[in-house]
Amino acid sequence: MILNGLFEQELKVVNIGLDSFQQALEQAGFTAVQVNWSPPAGGDEDVMAALKKLGL
Amino acid sequence: MFVIGIKKSGEYYDSVTLMLASRDLLETEGVDDAAIVMGTEENLQLLKGSGLLTEEMSGAGDTDLLIAVKAADEKLARETAGRAEEILRESKRKRAEAGAHLPRSLEGAVKMMPDANLVVISVAGRWAGDVARDALKRGLHVMLFSDNVPIETEKELKELGREKGLLVMGPDCGTAIINGAPLCFANVVERGEIGIVAASGTGLQEVSSVIGNRGGGISQAIGTGGRDVKDSIGGIMFLEGIKALAADEKTRVIVLVSKPPDAGVIDKTAAAIKEIDKPVVAILIGGDPVVLKEAGAHPADDLEQAGLIAVALARGEDPDGFREELSRRAEEIRKTAKAEATKMKDGQVHLRGLFSGGTLCDETQLLCRETIGPVYSPAPIDPAYKLDDIWKSRENTVVDLGEDEFTVGRPHPMIDFSLRKKRIVEEAADPSVAVILLDVVLGYGSHPSPGEELAPAIAEARKRAAKEGRHLTVACSITGTALDPQDREKVNRELAEAGAVVMPTNAAASLLAVEIVKIRRGGE
């Protein structure tokens, strides 16, 4: 099966980042869910490294 | 001029919020330049280059917010910087309100939509890799719009994608069309029988638009990001994309679009082409397509030709049938060039190209090299022609205003025309300029009304030149289709009414520009 059958499926998009990309897809008649994303640990690299170490 | 710099530690904002806030500041009367950015190493360099780096910003890191304002006096600079903080606070409040009902993670989104199959990621590069890896592990295809993803991460993600039968488009992939859906910056083209694999964003947009405008259609258009065709990645997704289109029943013709791939990738691509029983068209911008031609591909000289050949092949027509039509058009363009050049004043001999599409800028540089010789650019083909100061053109110059050094704290020039409008008027003041060449890229993601944005600057530029007795040609190309949200015809009309000569493709507009330069130089 090519690419797990992607070309035969209805495209359903999760958008993480610029919300205009999600809006454009909806405007064009496609399904897209926006994620209200923020960087892990508020963007603090040290805290992030520690969390990764802890497997979180 | 007074420059003020503020550092605020531990405050994160996404790049779009920062760009919009920067734009707000730039529109303030008396403010010469402004940037609001996160303090990454790259941004610090860019601030330095724009003369916006101050002592207050020293020691800034990735998680520090930096505000820089250059204004007529200290009071205005301080007031403007203060306003930046207000704008950001307000946007944070609004976002929190609007985002309250949205999932906060990919896991949450997948719970909400269990049959999700593709994730579009445009978060900052240092986090994009982790998000993409999470998506692949969940069995989801990935489009990575983000750039600044380390090359080792790209390779790891693409190897994982290949193993799991998943697409990894990008990093730095600006456009794709999957199952008819325009992703990120993409044009609206009817569905059809032509599949595209592209390692070049605006290259894909130009080819798909040409196909659409010619009445053809797109089955799938897969972007890979520019680095995929380098030996360090080995063309992993370029080759997976070819394989997928070769096996796809709805795809009858395959078009490959790329800047010159590394030798190893060319060889692998040639081997893949030999295995395919469908016609393949290849456009390698600035590369020698001989290896691919030997493998059976139809080589194209430019992006427009790639689209035209593909449409002819999909219809079972002669792939060279368009050549006569193009040579007739070239004759028409030469006539227009002559009519324009005749109105010009002594000393008007130079071309200035101000681009928003990187590949279109490259395409023009190549045409120039073959016709009027090498041109100056921040990223020239010939290193001897590197522009010392990217803000000042010299002789024949073409710049891609979408390059990082121009976009610090600003949205991309396909979204925000302020920098380009300023530069159009500046170029017009140079008495040696004969022609200004512009690309206008339509489609989702781009500015909703580029014609209205550019027309006043074009009219102003021509008026200023006329005041000094000069006739200035502004040649514009439009990349886009009648189905795009901007309405191609409307944009065409607005540009023409402002006095621009509008051409259907970048290849045609570039030909007009170089023909004018040739005539103005005399003897040709």
Side-chain angles (χ1 to χ4, degrees):
Chain A
M1 197 163 45
I2 322 160
L3 298 171
N4 295 304
L6 175 67
F7 297 161
E8 311 306 322
Q9 295 159 9
E10 183 188 341
L11 195 72
K12 295 210 166 172
V13 177
V14 175
N15 186 53
I16 306 180
L18 310 182
D19 46 15
S20 59
F21 293 156
Q22 185 263 345
Q23 289 155 11
L25 278 165
E26 283 204 334
Q27 199 187 331
F30 292 86
T31 311
V33 168
Q34 176 68 26
V35 171
N36 186 19
W37 189 85
S38 55
D44 188 315
E45 305 267 346
D46 294 336
V47 179
M48 241 166 67
L51 289 175
K52 245 188 181 169
K53 245 185 194 168
L54 293 168
L56 296 172
Chain B
M1 280 291 161
F2 187 87
V3 181
I4 186 174
I6 295 176
K7 177 171 82 176
K8 301 196 69 85
S9 295
E11 286 208 27
Y12 173 80
Y13 290 92
D14 67 83
S15 56
V16 169
T17 303
L18 296 178
M19 284 170 188
L20 292 173
S22 302
R23 184 161 67 174
D24 203 313
L25 302 191
L26 283 164
E27 282 168 2
T28 313
E29 185 80 32
V31 170
D32 188 58
D33 204 357
I36 313 175
V37 292
M38 299 306 295
T40 60
E41 188 55 38
E42 203 193 17
N43 284 339
L44 289 172
Q45 287 300 324
L46 294 168
L47 286 173
K48 198 176 169 191
S50 317
L52 290 173
L53 190 69
T54 67
E55 270 180 31
E56 289 85 349
M57 296 171 178
S58 64
D62 287 5
T63 54
D64 296 324
L65 174 75
L66 304 178
I67 301 171
V69 179
K70 188 181 188 183
D73 58 62
E74 183 174 352
K75 185 167 170 279
L76 180 61
R78 289 200 186 280
E79 275 172 15
T80 311
R83 201 152 52 77
E85 294 186 57
E86 265 171 49
I87 296 168
L88 291 175
R89 268 197 302 273
E90 178 61 14
S91 82
K92 205 168 218 176
R93 196 184 59 75
K94 275 193 189 153
R95 272 190 120 79
E97 262 175 34
H101 63 286
L102 297 177
R104 298 183 59 83
S105 64
L106 177 56
E107 189 179 8
V110 172
K111 269 188 196 146
M112 198 184 239
M113 188 167 64
D115 53 352
N117 42 21
L118 187 139
V119 184
V120 175
I121 300 164
S122 54
V123 302
R126 60 194 175 287
W127 290 297
D130 285 346
V131 178
R133 192 177 302 108
D134 184 18
L136 293 170
K137 286 186 176 161
R138 291 173 192 278
L140 300 168
H141 299 274
V142 166
M143 170 157 182
L144 256 174
F145 180 83
S146 316
D147 56 6
N148 296 320
V149 174
I151 191 123
E152 309 78 48
T153 308
E154 176 171 352
K155 187 153 195 207
E156 174 219 322
L157 293 171
K158 286 182 166 169
E159 282 171 345
L160 180 60
R162 179 171 58 189
E163 185 191 313
K164 293 175 83 87
L166 296 169
L167 282 177
V168 182
M169 299 186 281
D172 205 9
C173 177
T175 176
I177 304 171
I178 301 295
N179 298 355
L183 297 174
C184 300
F185 286 76
N187 299 95
V188 185
V189 184
E190 296 280 5
R191 296 207 70 181
E193 299 168 319
I194 300 167
I196 305 176
V197 185
S200 137
T202 28
L204 191 157
Q205 288 196 265
E206 180 82 335
V207 173
S208 60
S209 296
V210 167
I211 290 170
N213 293 335
R214 191 77 168 176
I218 300 290
S219 56
Q220 308 288 344
I222 298 168
T224 67
R227 290 194 308 209
D228 194 89
V229 293
K230 298 295 166 194
D231 280 337
S232 44
I233 301 295
I236 297 178
M237 277 300 139
F238 203 70
L239 296 163
E240 288 300 301
I242 295 172
K243 216 159 68 178
L245 295 181
D248 175 36
E249 282 176 11
K250 296 192 186 92
T251 301
R252 287 192 51 211
V253 177
I254 299 172
V255 185
L256 307 179
V257 186
S258 176
K259 289 186 190 177
D262 280 348
V265 178
I266 287 248
D267 291 342
K268 283 188 235 171
T269 306
I273 290 172
K274 281 184 194 158
E275 298 293 312
I276 302 172
D277 56 1
K278 299 176 182 182
V280 176
V281 183
I283 166 73
L284 306 178
I285 302 112
D288 184 356
V290 69
V291 180
L292 300 187
K293 192 179 175 187
E294 280 167 11
H298 298 261
D301 294 335
D302 56 41
L303 296 162
E304 179 178 29
Q305 288 192 18
L308 296 177
I309 296 171
V311 173
L313 288 167
R315 288 180 181 152
E317 294 169 4
D318 173 11
D320 288 315
F322 68 91
R323 290 191 194 277
E324 202 186 310
E325 184 187 328
L326 278 199
S327 66
R328 271 202 307 274
R329 189 186 69 187
E331 269 319 303
E332 286 303 314
I333 289 175
R334 282 188 195 100
K335 275 186 205 158
T336 308
K338 204 168 177 188
E340 292 285 311
T342 316
K343 296 181 216 161
M344 290 176 189
K345 217 173 152 179
D346 279 355
Q348 281 190 271
V349 289
H350 291 138
L351 145 76
R352 301 284 155 85
L354 305 174
F355 286 88
S356 59
T359 307
L360 301 176
C361 184
D362 291 341
E363 186 177 61
T364 300
Q365 274 205 59
L366 287 162
L367 177 69
C368 288
R369 186 179 61 176
E370 287 161 20
T371 49
I372 57 171
V375 293
Y376 285 92
S377 172
I381 302 174
D382 178 346
Y385 283 79
K386 191 165 171 61
L387 210 54
D388 298 329
D389 178 354
I390 58 167
W391 303 100
K392 284 203 184 77
S393 302
R394 55 182 294 194
E395 298 171 38
N396 294 312
T397 292
V398 297
V399 292
D400 168 18
L401 295 169
E403 284 284 352
D404 290 348
E405 56 258 59
F406 290 107
T407 56
V408 58
R410 282 194 188 88
H412 193 275
M414 287 182 197
I415 302 168
D416 179 356
F417 285 79
S418 53
L419 192 60
R420 196 144 66 137
K421 289 194 290 189
K422 203 170 148 199
R423 185 112 176 204
I424 290 170
V425 177
E426 280 169 16
E427 302 290 2
D430 180 343
S432 83
V433 172
V435 53
I436 295 176
L437 176 62
L438 306 170
D439 64 339
V440 179
V441 181
L442 312 183
Y444 282 108
S446 294
H447 194 287
S449 46
E452 280 172 35
E453 278 289 306
L454 278 174
I458 292 169
E460 172 74 12
R462 297 185 74 246
K463 202 169 105 189
R464 286 205 188 180
K467 249 187 193 167
E468 291 168 18
R470 293 193 303 275
H471 173 80
L472 178 72
T473 303
V474 179
C476 282
S477 69
I478 302 180
T479 297
T481 72
L483 303 174
D484 281 326
Q486 292 89 347
D487 185 350
R488 187 181 165 112
E489 269 316 303
K490 178 172 168 272
V491 176
N492 197 331
R493 203 171 48 242
E494 286 161 347
L495 295 171
E497 277 169 10
V501 183
V502 188
M503 288 285 156
T505 61
N506 183 56
S510 303
L511 178 63
L512 174 64
V514 301
E515 286 298 328
I516 290 174
V517 171
K518 273 161 72 178
I519 298 168
R520 295 298 308 162
R521 278 178 177 176
E524 291 177 80

